Amino acid sequence: MKNHDRQNLIQILRSEYHFEQAVALCRSLGLSSDTVLGWLGFEVELVSIPDGPGQIGEEGCRESVEFEAFEMAATMTTVAQWTAIMGWVHMGRDRRPVTDADRTDRRPVVNVSAYEVEEFCRRLESIYGLDGVAVEVRLPHSAEWEHAARGGENYKYAGSDDPDEVAWYADNSDYQLQPVGMKKPNGYGLYDMSGNAYTWTCTDWEDDDPSGAKAYRAAIASEKP
């Protein structure tokens, strides 16, 4: 494929209304998910979360469950990852064009809605589907997130009893979001499961079979001091 044709395809993949047509074109050209994600500049590290016992529900009304193994993004979704797939970022409530700085920004993406996160996951799911294998891409369920955050360990915070080892918070971040993956990971290799920013999760555990899914830490609801 010529370079200008590839750039046009990338632009369509990031468009709001013609994404599915672009994926269909990728499929007709025999392009793999790795090729398309590489063109978009999307990189992610997925870590395996093992199966095991856990609990769901609120305090005082907990129920024991057995978790299936699944994959989860090692970090919160960054500005760079978001812009690679969506082609825009928020400035307050409004969207703005992507800058060169956005493409390398490893801070968590913020101010995205649940609807926008669903679209982000849907796009990734369609691109992974180019390989002919059905892959579910979604947010982690709240119970999965709790199971993953524990990391198979018994610490006060995710990965340590010392918050400065594993978390950004008001006293050590100057109230600013920090690049992901700078602190110590927990026992499963997940970063920033404590601190830095609030994370969207999915709570419809009973409606979905979570086994085999790629659970992206895909949305930050708001900045957290």
Side-chain angles (χ1 to χ4, degrees), residues 13 16 61 63 81-82 86 110 119 133 150 178 186 212 219 224:
L13 281 166
E16 186 172 359
C61 188
E63 180 182 349
Q81 290 170 331
W82 182 270
M86 302 298 284
V110 297
E119 176 65 15
V133 179
R150 293 185 186 281
Q178 299 296 320
N186 74 356
K224 179 181 180 180

Side-chain angles (χ1 to χ4, degrees), residues 10 13-14 40-42 77-90 96-105 109 112 120 123:
I10 291 171
L13 281 166
R14 290 175 175 152
L40 292 171
F42 180 82
T77 299
T78 66
V79 173
Q81 290 170 331
W82 182 270
T83 57
I85 299 299
M86 302 298 284
W88 57 265
V89 286
H90 274 301
R96 64 167 175 78
V98 175
T99 66
D100 288 341
D102 294 326
R103 300 188 193 282
T104 58
D105 192 341
V109 67
V112 288
F120 174 82
R123 290 184 176 219

